[in-house]
Amino acid sequence: MATGREIDVLSEHFAAAPATFTTSPLYRALCPVVAGDRSTLELLTGRRPGQQASYLFFGAAHYLLLAGVAHPLRDFYPSLVGSSAAEPADAGPVLRDFCRRYRTELGELVRTRLVQTNVVRRAVALRYALWAIGQRCADPVHLVEVGSSAGIHLHVDRYRYLLGDRVFGPADATVSLDSRWLGRTPPPDLDDVPLIASRTGVDLNPVDVTDERARRWLRALVWPENQDAATLLHAALDAVATEPPAVVAGDAVRVCRDLGRGLPPGEPRVVFHAATRMHVPADRRVAFDRAIDSIGDGGPLYHVWQEPPSAPHGGHAADPRGELAMHGPDGVVVPLLRVDGHLRWLGPLDPAD
Ligand SMILES: C[S@@+](CC[C@H](N)C(=O)[O-])C[C@H]1O[C@@H](n2cnc3c(N)ncnc32)[C@H](O)[C@@H]1O
């Protein structure tokens, strides 16, 4: 039974959540509706520990609509009806009705699913970090992504990157990522990156990219207005499906030590995580950081992260604007870039550069 305090915390979360849905007028309009809907908030108390409630809830509703549920709520989703979508401001009562009618289905999804949004453009953050690592280390690296979801970023060396007026990556890539470069000077040479000697993901729930329902869940987590991100997601999932990377199933806290031991001793390893530490329950984050550090027991560790300011790497005061940061074997944190959460843009830390 949910406590009044739990419901209050969830209500406050939804009341504050419009600020995070920067590119979704629909979700911004619906957040206050959920904040005031006690019955839906009660459903959300059944979610798995650490899962961000608004991403999970909107993902669940979108999933049902994408699966073909016939309800007038679908008329508000550009992902379903394109540019004829109805005004977000009118969606509140329709959402409340949807939640009443599909309470069982929504409850099942929020209890069992995880926020696994695989944001393809975040590969450019990893690509930049690999360039920075290449400036410090000439050897091939073993790449580990913690919280890899479908494993899209593990193919970081197989995509084409359009950044400012420069292009990087193989010319025959089937996936092209475009991000805005905010620097006054051009980005560095992102073709100058270390070779990837091996690639391994770690996830609580590795996503089978050939499973239609698993793909639909990933699509549902893309906000309904972001059709370009959805198109990119489909292209990347198809690319990953041709050669799915190995992903170890389990909690990073439990599996990282053994994974590190399995890598060739003395060889450099890069651990990357994006939007993952933020979903680790607060009381597990120190253990999460230690588990990642343990991968460095067998060889030089380069640890790269892109997490929101609410969940920075332990002990590091994150830049509130959002950043990509790393540390090498000496443990000294090096902020690398300012980044948009979905990597629609990235740029030097100093806007004058
Ligand atoms: C929001 S998704 C981000 C996926 C990917 N890193 C990206 O940026 O596109 C977070 C992923 O982390 C995984 N995850 C969360 N906590 C984890 C943990 N303790 N150990 C392993 N994976 C975890 C989730 O299952 C999910 O796939």
Side-chain angles (χ1 to χ4, degrees), residues 114-119 122 145 147 153 203-204 250-252 274-276:
L114 297 170
V115 179
Q116 296 205 267
T117 325
N118 214 171
V119 178
R122 286 187 187 134
E145 184 179 13
H153 303 144
D203 205 284
L204 286 174
D251 188 330
T276 293

Side-chain angles (χ1 to χ4, degrees), residues 192-206:
D192 183 16
V193 291
L195 285 175
I196 297 180
S198 71
R199 52 196 93 213
T200 315
V202 174
D203 205 284
L204 286 174
N205 178 46

